[in-house]
Short mmCIF file of all heavy atoms in Angstrom, two decimals:
data_model
loop_
_atom_site.label_atom_id
_atom_site.label_comp_id
_atom_site.label_asym_id
_atom_site.label_seq_id
_atom_site.Cartn_x
_atom_site.Cartn_y
_atom_site.Cartn_z
N SER A 73 28.53 159.85 74.88
CA SER A 73 29.12 161.03 75.44
C SER A 73 28.65 161.16 76.97
O SER A 73 29.47 161.49 77.91
CB SER A 73 28.75 162.20 74.68
OG SER A 73 29.45 163.36 75.31
N LEU A 74 27.35 160.96 77.14
CA LEU A 74 26.87 161.03 78.48
C LEU A 74 27.48 160.06 79.43
O LEU A 74 27.85 160.34 80.58
CB LEU A 74 25.27 160.96 78.40
CG LEU A 74 24.44 161.03 79.66
CD1 LEU A 74 24.50 162.41 80.30
CD2 LEU A 74 23.06 160.58 79.37
N ALA A 75 27.44 158.76 78.94
CA ALA A 75 28.02 157.71 79.77
C ALA A 75 29.53 157.88 79.97
O ALA A 75 29.99 157.75 81.18
CB ALA A 75 27.79 156.37 79.19
N ALA A 76 30.22 158.35 79.05
CA ALA A 76 31.67 158.52 79.11
C ALA A 76 32.00 159.77 80.08
O ALA A 76 32.94 159.61 80.89
CB ALA A 76 32.31 158.83 77.70
N SER A 77 31.24 160.75 79.96
CA SER A 77 31.43 161.90 80.89
C SER A 77 31.20 161.58 82.38
O SER A 77 31.69 162.07 83.30
CB SER A 77 30.66 163.06 80.43
OG SER A 77 29.27 162.86 80.65
N ALA A 78 30.39 160.46 82.49
CA ALA A 78 30.09 160.06 83.90
C ALA A 78 31.24 159.01 84.32
O ALA A 78 31.19 158.63 85.53
CB ALA A 78 28.64 159.29 84.08
N GLY A 79 32.06 158.61 83.51
CA GLY A 79 33.20 157.75 83.97
C GLY A 79 33.08 156.31 83.44
O GLY A 79 33.89 155.53 83.91
N ALA A 80 32.08 156.02 82.54
CA ALA A 80 31.90 154.61 82.10
C ALA A 80 33.11 154.28 81.30
O ALA A 80 33.67 155.09 80.51
CB ALA A 80 30.62 154.46 81.35
N ASP A 81 33.60 153.04 81.36
CA ASP A 81 34.66 152.56 80.54
C ASP A 81 34.13 151.86 79.24
O ASP A 81 34.81 151.64 78.26
CB ASP A 81 35.46 151.46 81.38
CG ASP A 81 36.04 152.05 82.57
OD1 ASP A 81 36.87 152.81 82.48
OD2 ASP A 81 35.58 151.61 83.70
N LEU A 82 32.92 151.42 79.31
CA LEU A 82 32.20 150.68 78.32
C LEU A 82 30.80 151.01 78.29
O LEU A 82 30.15 151.08 79.29
CB LEU A 82 32.47 149.16 78.58
CG LEU A 82 32.05 148.21 77.37
CD1 LEU A 82 33.02 147.03 77.45
CD2 LEU A 82 30.65 147.72 77.38
N VAL A 83 30.29 151.24 77.12
CA VAL A 83 28.80 151.64 76.98
C VAL A 83 28.08 150.61 76.05
O VAL A 83 28.62 150.18 75.04
CB VAL A 83 28.71 153.02 76.27
CG1 VAL A 83 27.26 153.45 76.20
CG2 VAL A 83 29.50 154.09 77.16
N MET A 84 26.92 150.22 76.53
CA MET A 84 26.13 149.15 75.71
C MET A 84 25.15 149.98 74.82
O MET A 84 24.37 150.74 75.39
CB MET A 84 25.44 148.20 76.66
CG MET A 84 25.11 146.84 76.02
SD MET A 84 24.67 145.71 77.28
CE MET A 84 25.95 145.52 78.42
N VAL A 85 25.14 149.55 73.61
CA VAL A 85 24.22 150.08 72.51
C VAL A 85 23.56 148.82 72.01
O VAL A 85 23.98 147.70 71.83
CB VAL A 85 25.12 150.64 71.39
CG1 VAL A 85 24.18 151.22 70.22
CG2 VAL A 85 25.99 151.89 72.06
N CYS A 86 22.22 149.13 71.67
CA CYS A 86 21.29 148.05 71.06
C CYS A 86 21.68 147.72 69.70
O CYS A 86 21.77 148.53 68.78
CB CYS A 86 20.01 148.47 71.16
SG CYS A 86 19.17 148.51 72.75
N GLY A 87 21.94 146.44 69.48
CA GLY A 87 22.21 145.95 68.07
C GLY A 87 20.96 146.06 67.24
O GLY A 87 21.11 146.05 65.97
N ALA A 88 19.80 146.15 67.94
CA ALA A 88 18.61 146.31 67.01
C ALA A 88 18.41 147.78 66.53
O ALA A 88 17.56 148.08 65.64
CB ALA A 88 17.37 145.95 67.82
N ALA A 89 19.27 148.62 66.96
CA ALA A 89 19.27 150.08 66.46
C ALA A 89 19.72 150.16 65.14
O ALA A 89 20.30 149.18 64.54
CB ALA A 89 20.20 150.99 67.43
N SER A 90 19.48 151.20 64.50
CA SER A 90 19.94 151.43 63.09
C SER A 90 21.46 151.36 62.99
O SER A 90 22.10 151.69 63.90
CB SER A 90 19.33 152.65 62.53
OG SER A 90 19.98 153.79 63.05
N ASP A 91 22.01 151.14 61.83
CA ASP A 91 23.33 151.15 61.58
C ASP A 91 23.87 152.49 61.84
O ASP A 91 25.06 152.64 62.50
CB ASP A 91 23.76 150.89 60.10
CG ASP A 91 23.43 149.37 59.72
OD1 ASP A 91 23.09 148.57 60.55
OD2 ASP A 91 23.65 149.07 58.48
N GLY A 92 23.29 153.52 61.57
CA GLY A 92 23.76 154.79 61.87
C GLY A 92 23.95 155.13 63.39
O GLY A 92 24.88 155.76 63.75
N VAL A 93 23.02 154.59 64.20
CA VAL A 93 23.18 154.83 65.64
C VAL A 93 24.45 154.04 66.08
O VAL A 93 25.23 154.68 66.82
CB VAL A 93 21.99 154.21 66.40
CG1 VAL A 93 22.15 154.02 67.90
CG2 VAL A 93 20.74 155.12 66.21
N VAL A 94 24.73 152.77 65.59
CA VAL A 94 25.90 152.05 65.93
C VAL A 94 27.12 152.73 65.55
O VAL A 94 28.04 152.87 66.36
CB VAL A 94 25.79 150.55 65.52
CG1 VAL A 94 26.96 149.82 65.94
CG2 VAL A 94 24.55 149.88 66.04
N VAL A 95 27.25 153.15 64.30
CA VAL A 95 28.32 153.73 63.77
C VAL A 95 28.70 155.11 64.46
O VAL A 95 29.80 155.40 64.86
CB VAL A 95 28.12 154.04 62.23
CG1 VAL A 95 29.23 154.92 61.75
CG2 VAL A 95 28.12 152.71 61.47
N ASN A 96 27.63 155.85 64.77
CA ASN A 96 27.89 157.10 65.53
C ASN A 96 28.29 156.88 66.99
O ASN A 96 29.17 157.57 67.50
CB ASN A 96 26.66 158.12 65.45
CG ASN A 96 26.44 158.65 64.06
OD1 ASN A 96 27.39 158.89 63.44
ND2 ASN A 96 25.28 158.90 63.80
N ALA A 97 27.72 155.88 67.54
CA ALA A 97 28.22 155.44 68.98
C ALA A 97 29.68 154.97 68.86
O ALA A 97 30.43 155.46 69.78
CB ALA A 97 27.25 154.36 69.45
N VAL A 98 30.02 154.27 68.02
CA VAL A 98 31.44 153.86 67.93
C VAL A 98 32.41 154.97 67.63
O VAL A 98 33.45 155.10 68.29
CB VAL A 98 31.68 152.82 66.77
CG1 VAL A 98 33.16 152.57 66.48
CG2 VAL A 98 30.97 151.45 67.10
N ALA A 99 32.05 155.98 66.83
CA ALA A 99 32.77 157.17 66.49
C ALA A 99 32.99 158.00 67.75
O ALA A 99 34.18 158.45 68.07
CB ALA A 99 32.23 157.98 65.42
N ALA A 100 32.00 158.20 68.47
CA ALA A 100 32.05 158.96 69.80
C ALA A 100 32.95 158.14 70.76
O ALA A 100 33.76 158.79 71.49
CB ALA A 100 30.69 159.16 70.33
N ALA A 101 32.77 156.80 70.81
CA ALA A 101 33.57 156.11 71.79
C ALA A 101 35.06 156.24 71.49
O ALA A 101 35.90 156.36 72.34
CB ALA A 101 33.13 154.67 71.69
N ARG A 102 35.43 156.08 70.25
CA ARG A 102 36.86 156.26 69.83
C ARG A 102 37.38 157.66 70.26
O ARG A 102 38.42 157.85 70.76
CB ARG A 102 36.95 156.12 68.35
CG ARG A 102 36.69 154.77 67.89
CD ARG A 102 37.51 153.55 68.54
NE ARG A 102 36.89 152.31 68.20
CZ ARG A 102 36.19 151.60 69.02
NH1 ARG A 102 35.82 152.07 70.23
NH2 ARG A 102 35.63 150.54 68.75
N LYS A 103 36.50 158.67 70.14
CA LYS A 103 36.97 160.03 70.39
C LYS A 103 37.12 160.18 71.87
O LYS A 103 37.96 160.89 72.32
CB LYS A 103 35.90 161.03 69.89
CG LYS A 103 36.31 162.45 69.85
CD LYS A 103 35.23 163.39 69.33
CE LYS A 103 34.80 162.94 67.93
NZ LYS A 103 33.87 164.00 67.36
N LEU A 104 36.19 159.55 72.68
CA LEU A 104 36.17 159.71 74.15
C LEU A 104 37.00 158.61 74.89
O LEU A 104 37.08 158.69 76.08
CB LEU A 104 34.72 159.76 74.54
CG LEU A 104 33.90 160.83 74.01
CD1 LEU A 104 32.47 160.69 74.23
CD2 LEU A 104 34.47 162.19 74.62
N GLY A 105 37.51 157.65 74.17
CA GLY A 105 38.32 156.63 74.92
C GLY A 105 37.54 155.63 75.69
O GLY A 105 38.14 155.09 76.70
N VAL A 106 36.36 155.37 75.24
CA VAL A 106 35.55 154.25 75.87
C VAL A 106 35.34 153.16 74.80
O VAL A 106 35.61 153.23 73.68
CB VAL A 106 34.21 154.79 76.47
CG1 VAL A 106 34.49 155.81 77.55
CG2 VAL A 106 33.35 155.33 75.42
N LYS A 107 34.81 152.07 75.38
CA LYS A 107 34.59 150.91 74.40
C LYS A 107 33.09 150.68 74.27
O LYS A 107 32.35 151.24 75.14
CB LYS A 107 35.17 149.61 75.01
CG LYS A 107 36.70 149.68 75.01
CD LYS A 107 37.31 148.37 75.50
CE LYS A 107 38.83 148.39 75.36
NZ LYS A 107 39.41 147.27 75.51
N ILE A 108 32.73 150.01 73.21
CA ILE A 108 31.22 149.76 72.85
C ILE A 108 30.98 148.29 72.87
O ILE A 108 31.62 147.48 72.10
CB ILE A 108 30.89 150.41 71.54
CG1 ILE A 108 30.97 151.90 71.59
CG2 ILE A 108 29.45 149.99 71.15
CD1 ILE A 108 30.04 152.54 72.39
#
Side-chain angles (χ1 to χ4, degrees):
S73 180
L74 180 66
S77 68
D81 301 295
L82 192 148
V83 182
M84 206 171 299
V85 175
C86 289
S90 71
D91 290 357
V93 171
V94 177
V95 168
N96 286 333
V98 169
R102 296 299 168 261
K103 192 180 303 181
L104 298 168
V106 298
K107 294 184 178 195
I108 295 289

